[in-house]
Amino acid sequence: MTPNPYLWLVPLLPLAGAAINGFLGRRSSKRAISAIALVFCGLAFAMALYLAAGFSSASAPYSCDFAHWLRSGNFQVDFSFYLDQLSLVMLLVVTGVGFLIHIYSVGYMWDDDGYYRFMAYLNLFMFFMLTLVLAKNYLVMFIGWEGVGLASYLLIGFWFTKDAAAAAGKKAFIVNRIGDFGFLIALFLMIKYFGSLDFTHVFAAVRLMPAETAGASTLTAIGLLLMVGAAGKSAQIPLYVWLPDAMEGPTPVSALIHAATMVTAGVYMVARSSAIFDRAPTAMTVVAIIGTLTALFAATIGIAQTDIKKVLAYSTVSQLGYMFMACGVGAFSAGIFHLMTHAFFKGLLFLAAGSVIHGVGGEQDMRKMGGLRVYMPWTFLTMTIATFTIAGFPPLAAFFSKDEILWKAYSSPYGSWVYWLIGVITAFLTSFYMFRLWFLTFFGDYLGGTAESPVPRLPVSTLAVPTHGHHSDHSSDHGHGHEPHESSWMMLGPLVVLAVLSIVGGWVGIGDHFGRFLAPVFQTGGSSELVETAAESSGKWTETLLTLISVTAAFLGLYFAYVLYHKRRELPARIARSLGGLYDAVVHKYYIDEIYVALFVKPLIDGSTTILWHGIDQGVIDAAVNDSADAAREVSDKVRHMQSGNLRSYAGWVAAGGAVVIAYMVWMGVTH
Amino acid sequence: MIPLSYYLVLSGILFVCGVLGFLIKRNIITIFMSIELMLNGVNLSFVAFAAQWHSLSGQVFVFFVMVVAAAEAAVGLAIIIAVYRTRETLNVDQVNLLKL
Amino acid sequence: MFHLILFLFFGAICVAGAVNLLVQSHPINSALSLVVVMASLAGEYLLLGGEFVAAIQVIVYAGAIMVLFLITIMLLNAGKEERTKGSRVAILIGVPGVLIGGVLVTWTLLTRPNAQTVPIGALKGDSGSIARLLFHDFLLPFEVTSVLILIAIMGAVVLASRPEAVARGPRKDGR
């Protein structure tokens, strides 16, 4: 373990930016705010590059003990940071993509009244996310974990005057908390059985334990509980419901938090805990099953959505399912590989979608778009690259990562052809709905032209409520033209960079360079090491065949989308009508939200209202106070009759009192 | 040779009669007289004890009690006259404005 | 023996007078009964040997205070008592209370073994001794009582005068 005294700077630089913008931003100029935000985020990125340049696998991992924290008997937790190959990858992804999105936000949110708040929250998010990936123990990771949940809540509900946004923020936070509950119990179990939360200690202790057979105790429990936390944070079944609602937030938020970085925290955590999962096969199987099912499930919902951001949201859920599938079959480095490429292309997709929305003046419904490739050439170009990438066409990035996952799902000792088959079907669906989006948005005739003056989504009031940014764009405010327009270069620049990364980002996977780079982290001595190297021996021909099948699936998706959404546009409606109820269920997201409300939300609210509010608060507490006041009034009402103004009654009372005293004294005298 | 307690019993009887008069009578002057009766009863017990313990201070105290009773009677009757002037009645039950 | 007879004689008159005060309905009768009580009490004091006390009892109490009462009764033209709505509390609670208290005290007094006897004329109650005590040990209270009486006089004058007489001050023609 090599000490590195500068690691702590990486998270704390964005925190400084957040503090400055948060406290002083209200009265600062927009240029100053942007400069602060970009400078501090950029410095973090520069430090990440510097650390990457100086990184050597021989002296890895690096650690940095920043400050003491908890000391309680034998239990000790400090603020410590840790840099190994896995955290380095995450660090570069988070700071790199984060920095690009910061630049994009400057253009996107420039005209918003809450601009300084937005930039402060973005920096705050960077701080928490970097704390999460650089943590050396589970508790510091948990700080980051909770913090990104908080930042997500703040940013989803950024336009807090809009009810839907506020509700979506709450929903995200609460569903996250359910996952965090599982995470916490896992931490408690770790403290109980290992006496420490530090990665090195825990994993060393775990590696000494034998692999648990199915259904056996501690490690399986810890693994399952960690998965609960990951399911909450990374939007897997059954805790994915917050992610589509989170699209209420501004598009840079969707890109950064809900595509590239925060939602991948769950995958990172599972990968980091690979030693635990490796010893608990049951938990790994559960992870794989959840991931696979989520991938398929979300893809089926995605094909029927009409809001461009919702399609991308379900796509994110689906792609995260792929990553968990990879981790579940023991191919942790494949999962991280896909995480990296996903950050590039999904971030690009969201930012481009933001550019589209911006260009058409706030419209998010794809049925009112069309033919935009003429008006927005650069957005069209970059989005095309991203769409082909996500579909899995070679030689773009996702081809390599997705194929690696599918191959490992088939060939790993933990895997099975069922995973592979579902993965291929999901790939077909992914390609289909992405190209559907592509065709609907950029081809055909522009269907939104009738909405001349772009209707604001919020009622514009005279108070300084924050207006959403994509209503008005760059500073050369040419009065919202009737036709769509391209975005400024502040927004297009990051798109181009991400597009380039989407093209080349997968090439690190050729020859398994990426896998070998990460191998020391996942060296567990258990079966997953075999998984990492299993590809070599198990038959190159099988692998090539499977690759061809998945590429074919991508082409099929493109073909079907072309037919249904470009050539014969009347077909989708006819198919929808003929499918009837099934189609309705898909469009309504299988009514999952309604089921959750009926099962959990409504009983909880009703229970709280009747039992806690009416029953205890009003019935017991208020009643106690009111009744004691009433009792006081009753008593004094009876007693006041003593004050009658009548002299003789007073004398009567005095005489009676005197008799009592005399009697008492006589009694005392007699009995003693 | 009489037991001291006889004098005290007599004093008690006088006192009880005074209290009863206070409670039963309706005329304010009669009530005032009952107060004087009570004071007399107490005076008697003072003198009785003074006799038992051969103390002169007891009698001096009786002297002072009488002085105070005189002053109190004078002022009290003046008040009664003033009340009679305003309320036109000597019935104590009708002087009851100080009530809740 | 002789002592007991005299004691009972004066005591009976005393009690009779007290009871009569309760029973009579006209305040003048009650006042006269009270005079009788005071006179008999003077006799009791003499039995105990308190000559000075007996004397001032007759002079001050029976002679001055009771005269004051009688003058007030005549001034206010107090008549027979009318039956008005009384206070239930006084009758129901006060009377039993005081009777119980009296019974308890009497019972206690009569059943105590500590029954010291007082001989007839036991008190050294001549004027000389009392005066010596009064003007030596109790000088201050004595002087204070003179102030007290002065205040009582002034208070009585103010309270009993007619309101407009006070406000107007003495009349010009000296009446």
Side-chain angles (χ1 to χ4, degrees), chain A residues 61-81:
Chain A
Y62 301 88
S63 83
C64 168
D65 287 315
F66 182 56
H68 289 201
W69 192 7
L70 298 175
R71 299 289 162 88
S72 163
N74 289 332
F75 178 61
Q76 174 177 327
V77 168
D78 290 331
F79 291 116
S80 307
F81 297 109

Side-chain angles (χ1 to χ4, degrees), chain A residues 640-641 643-653 655, chain B residues 19 22-26 31 92-93 95-96 98-100:
Chain A
R640 76 176 173 94
H641 290 295
Q643 190 94 8
S644 59
N646 189 319
L647 188 67
R648 285 162 53 196
S649 72
Y650 295 163
W653 284 111
Chain B
V19 177
F22 193 112
L23 290 171
I24 293 175
K25 293 305 206 169
R26 247 164 267 110
I31 289 178
V92 74
D93 289 334
V95 184
N96 62 352
L98 270 179
K99 67 174 171 197
L100 279 182

Side-chain angles (χ1 to χ4, degrees), chain A residues 17-36:
Chain A
I20 296 175
N21 268 338
F23 291 125
L24 302 175
R26 189 188 280 269
R27 284 186 220 92
S28 312
S29 73
K30 286 200 178 153
R31 286 183 185 278
I33 299 170
S34 326
I36 298 276

Side-chain angles (χ1 to χ4, degrees), chain B residues 1-10 12-85 89-94, chain C residues 1 3-4 7 11 14-15 18-19 21-25 27 30-31 34 37-38 41 44-45 47-53 56-57 60-61 65-66 68-69 72-73 75-76 78-79 81-87 90-91 94-95 98-99 102 106 109-110 115-120 122-125 129-130 133-134 138 141-142 145 148-149 151-152 155-156 159-163:
Chain B
M1 290 300 189
I2 300 178
L4 180 69
S5 44
Y6 285 14
Y7 280 101
L8 297 180
V9 168
L10 176 61
I13 291 175
L14 284 178
F15 190 86
V16 166
C17 287
V19 177
L20 281 175
F22 193 112
L23 290 171
I24 293 175
K25 293 305 206 169
R26 247 164 267 110
N27 192 316
I28 199 166
I29 300 180
T30 318
I31 289 178
F32 214 60
M33 286 193 280
S34 312
I35 296 175
E36 297 298 326
L37 186 55
M38 282 193 254
L39 281 169
N40 274 291
V42 170
N43 275 351
L44 178 61
S45 72
F46 266 120
V47 177
F49 277 116
Q52 183 191 23
W53 286 321
H54 302 285
S55 145
L56 287 173
S57 309
Q59 298 171 82
V60 172
F61 202 84
V62 168
F63 173 84
F64 282 118
V65 170
M66 279 190 209
V67 167
V68 171
E72 165 222 345
V75 175
L77 287 170
I79 291 176
I80 290 173
I81 292 176
V83 166
Y84 179 76
R85 283 224 187 89
T89 178
L90 282 174
N91 190 335
V92 74
D93 289 334
Q94 285 171 356
Chain C
M1 188 63 199
H3 191 184
L4 186 63
F7 169 79
C14 207
V15 173
V19 170
L21 185 147
L22 294 178
V23 166
Q24 292 294 331
S25 54
S30 302
L34 192 57
V37 168
M38 290 179 178
L41 270 182
E44 292 282 351
Y45 291 149
L47 274 178
L48 282 168
E51 308 144 359
F52 182 72
V53 178
I56 60 169
Q57 167 89 350
V60 173
Y61 248 122
I65 294 176
M66 290 319 299
L68 196 59
F69 270 103
T72 310
I73 292 171
L75 184 64
L76 299 182
E81 273 194 1
E82 308 121 20
R83 287 241 153 241
T84 57
K85 179 166 125 21
S87 159
I91 310 293
V95 169
V98 70
L99 286 176
T106 312
L109 285 169
L110 290 178
Q116 288 181 287
T117 54
V118 177
I120 193 169
L123 209 49
K124 189 167 183 300
S129 329
I130 291 184
L133 203 60
L134 201 58
F138 294 105
F142 184 72
T145 48
L148 174 72
I149 293 173
I151 295 170
L159 280 169
S161 64
R162 293 180 192 278

Side-chain angles (χ1 to χ4, degrees), chain A residues 479-534:
Chain A
H480 307 305
H482 306 293
E483 50 173 53
H485 54 276
E486 185 63 279
S487 308
S488 66
W489 272 102
M490 195 69 131
M491 290 164 64
L492 287 179
L495 291 184
V496 170
V497 174
L498 283 173
V500 170
L501 281 172
S502 299
I503 298 176
V504 309
W507 296 348
V508 295
I510 297 179
D512 206 28
H513 275 124
F514 194 75
R516 279 203 285 272
F517 179 67
L518 281 182
V521 179
F522 301 122
Q523 233 167 23
T524 56
S527 332
S528 46
E529 192 182 357
L530 295 175
V531 172
E532 299 289 325
T533 54

